[in-house]
Structures are given as C-alpha cells and as structure tokens.
Amino acid sequence: QKAVCALDFASRTVERLMSSAKDGTACIADGGQLISGLRCSVTDPSQPKPKRPPQIMVRGCAFLDLEGLFAVTVASARRGKAFLSQWEEQTDEKGQRRFVCVSKTPCSDCPISA
C-alpha cells in the first residue's frame, strides 16, 4: 500500500467514501466496510505492450452522483498518457455490490501529477 492521493464523500451520505492511491488502486467504503477495490489501468491499445508493467498512480477520484453509485478516477504511469475511467456500482447474482469500469478515455498525452 502506498500514499493516498485523493478522497471524496458521496454528497447525500457521509457513510460512502472513495479514496485513490499511488499503488494503482482506488477503494470505496460504505459505513466503514470496503465494498469495492478498483484496479486502474493505463494500457493504451494503440501502443506496443510494455516490457514491464508500469507503476500506476491514481491521482484523483470523485463520485459523479449524490448517492455515490457512479465514480471517476484519473490515473497515469510515470510515462505516457493519463486516463480518465468511469466506474458504476453493480450487484452480482449473489447480491454482492462492486464497482465495474464502464469506460476509459485518454485525458492527457503526458502523465498527471498531484
């Protein structure tokens, strides 16, 4: 685990919290319980696959709605593009809630910084 970069609360409830970190992840908790861990990606399909996996930093996160059902993260490696990913809460067949990446868009041609 590495340093936390950003925090956000869902506006209608202070029980739902989202955090992003320098280890390539973001976490969403509700009522003190982790409900989803988000593993962000910075792979660019238009570029050759890197020889080594890049160190990913998730520099920002935010909920997109008042209830905290939709979220966004911004991530980059030390080199290359930065990506904005949109996440949506979904419930699986067992009734477990988790966030799934529904879109990923390049938002900068160079890495982002805090």
Side-chain angles (χ1 to χ4, degrees):
Q1 295 181 349
K2 293 197 177 189
V4 171
C5 294
L7 292 170
D8 191 30
F9 288 93
S11 296
R12 290 223 169 111
T13 174
V14 294
E15 301 259 329
R16 187 159 283 200
L17 169 72
M18 181 177 191
S19 65
S20 66
K22 290 184 177 182
D23 65 358
T25 64
C27 294
I28 299 176
D30 197 0
Q33 299 291 322
L34 180 68
I35 61 168
S36 198
L38 315 178
R39 171 97 20 217
C40 295
S41 167
V42 294
T43 55
D44 185 350
S46 68
Q47 298 296 315
K49 196 170 189 173
K51 292 180 176 122
R52 292 182 7 197
Q55 178 184 349
I56 300 168
M57 293 175 271
V58 185
R59 296 291 194 159
C61 63
F63 286 113
L64 296 175
D65 65 326
L66 298 175
E67 287 80 21
L69 303 176
F70 300 91
V72 66
T73 56
V74 62
S76 69
R78 294 186 185 272
R79 295 187 187 115
K81 294 180 180 180
F83 289 88
L84 188 68
S85 298
Q86 185 175 344
W87 305 81
E88 176 182 291
E89 184 178 20
Q90 297 180 356
T91 304
D92 65 17
E93 60 278 351
K94 296 177 185 175
Q96 301 245 329
R97 298 179 295 168
R98 64 187 183 99
F99 277 74
V100 175
C101 184
V102 294
S103 72
K104 183 175 82 170
T105 307
C107 60
S108 174
D109 285 334
C110 54
I112 52 170
S113 62

